[in-house]
Amino acid sequence: MRLEVDILSKTFRSAAGETHAVLAPVKFALQSGEVGVLIGPSGCGKSTMLRIILGLDRDFEGHIARPPEARVGMVFQEPRLLPWRSVEQNVRLAAPAASDAKLAELFRILELEAHRSHFPGELSLGLARRVALARAFAVEPDVLVLDEPLASLDDALAGRLRDEIATLVASRPVTTLLVTHSLDDAARLGDRLFLLSRRPARILAEVPIDIPRETRSDAAIAAIKAGLARRAQDEQGGERAGRDVS
């Protein structure tokens, strides 16, 4: 399963009739089993890019390629659960063909076994995020898109949920694209990292991580994060210099 992204441009027209560029040329590809991470400043166009990749926005120049039969799982920034349905009903609505054994395993991994009959209003944000992950994995996706799934969680909870995401991603060959502001999330979960510019977003640098996720030590992760921070600072500094010259 291969995901190919080749966006030439994306613009929108304001109420005043002005045209604004959201995305500059962005091109990359991800293979089955690979986790790509998009890292960029707020408002640079990451969510717009995800909408294009998911097929929710077709008003752009370029093309997105994936096998037509590919199943897609999506975890949004907000859990987006139906409040009048229970945890299990929310998951089964997305994956009606999922077996009882499959759901039981997902609920076990995500520590949701005691919450299957609860409703979204009874859940903490962390639990609701777990339900959103269960819903995405229940469809057995070929392509998984995660839009800042750990945002606004405390460090301890984010760490536990990050480990659960890593376990789920390792459980089946899925092509994964993660959007995050966190260098820690990127260093722990990613195989290839894409540093994005300010709007209109373009790829400033592509950073591969050769150490397998399951063998990355704390020291290796700290080194990856330090290198990412330096790379981002250098690239953004060069970008500002280029704008000043122009």
Side-chain angles (χ1 to χ4, degrees), residues 22 34 41 44 112 115 141 153 178 187-189 213 235 242-243:
V22 181
E34 194 171 23
C44 73
L112 289 170
H115 304 282
L153 299 179
L178 167 69
R188 292 178 185 275
L189 290 174
R213 283 187 298 278
E235 294 290 351
R243 287 200 302 265

Side-chain angles (χ1 to χ4, degrees), residues 26-70:
V26 174
K27 184 175 183 178
F28 63 89
L30 293 173
Q31 304 290 346
S32 180
E34 194 171 23
V35 179
V37 184
L38 298 175
I39 310 170
S42 296
C44 73
K46 299 187 296 297
S47 293
T48 299
M49 191 187 309
L50 293 188
R51 287 179 59 81
I52 290 173
I53 291 170
L54 291 167
L56 301 176
D57 185 347
R58 301 183 184 276
D59 183 20
F60 72 101
E61 294 185 34
H63 76 277
I64 307 298
R66 64 174 182 264
E69 72 280 4

Side-chain angles (χ1 to χ4, degrees), residues 178-201:
L178 167 69
V179 166
T180 184
H181 287 97
S182 168
L183 295 184
D184 197 53
D185 294 345
R188 292 178 185 275
L189 290 174
D191 297 310
R192 273 196 296 146
L193 316 180
F194 304 98
L195 303 181
L196 301 178
S197 70
R198 297 186 182 280
R199 181 181 289 192

Side-chain angles (χ1 to χ4, degrees), residues 44-216:
C44 73
K46 299 187 296 297
S47 293
T48 299
M49 191 187 309
L50 293 188
R51 287 179 59 81
I52 290 173
I53 291 170
L54 291 167
L56 301 176
D57 185 347
R58 301 183 184 276
D59 183 20
F60 72 101
E61 294 185 34
H63 76 277
I64 307 298
R66 64 174 182 264
E69 72 280 4
R71 295 185 299 272
V72 178
M74 175 70 198
V75 178
F76 297 93
Q77 292 183 29
E78 298 300 326
R80 298 192 181 185
L81 305 176
L82 296 178
W84 58 87
R85 291 183 180 268
S86 69
V87 165
E88 183 163 351
Q89 288 170 343
N90 266 281
V91 175
R92 286 192 180 278
L93 189 65
S99 68
D100 291 343
K102 172 67 177 178
L103 291 189
E105 178 66 5
L106 273 176
F107 289 145
R108 184 192 65 78
I109 292 171
L110 293 167
E111 299 180 6
L112 289 170
E113 294 164 302
H115 304 282
R116 295 175 72 144
S117 62
H118 290 173
F119 287 81
E122 302 174 279
L123 305 177
S124 66
L125 178 58
L127 285 170
R129 290 250 168 92
R130 286 188 169 102
V131 178
L133 280 170
R135 181 177 57 191
F137 273 92
V139 303
E140 298 188 336
D142 301 300
V143 177
L144 175 67
V145 179
L146 305 166
D147 190 1
E148 299 194 57
L150 308 180
S152 71
L153 299 179
D154 64 69
D155 290 344
L157 179 56
R160 290 199 300 273
L161 197 51
R162 188 192 307 114
D163 291 343
E164 289 161 0
I165 291 172
T167 298
L168 290 170
V169 167
S171 69
R172 57 175 281 107
V174 55
T175 302
T176 304
L177 184 61
L178 167 69
V179 166
T180 184
H181 287 97
S182 168
L183 295 184
D184 197 53
D185 294 345
R188 292 178 185 275
L189 290 174
D191 297 310
R192 273 196 296 146
L193 316 180
F194 304 98
L195 303 181
L196 301 178
S197 70
R198 297 186 182 280
R199 181 181 289 192
R202 60 185 179 86
I203 295 176
L204 294 173
E206 179 179 330
V207 182
I209 301 179
D210 297 326
I211 305 171
R213 283 187 298 278
E214 62 275 12
T215 62
R216 289 176 201 169

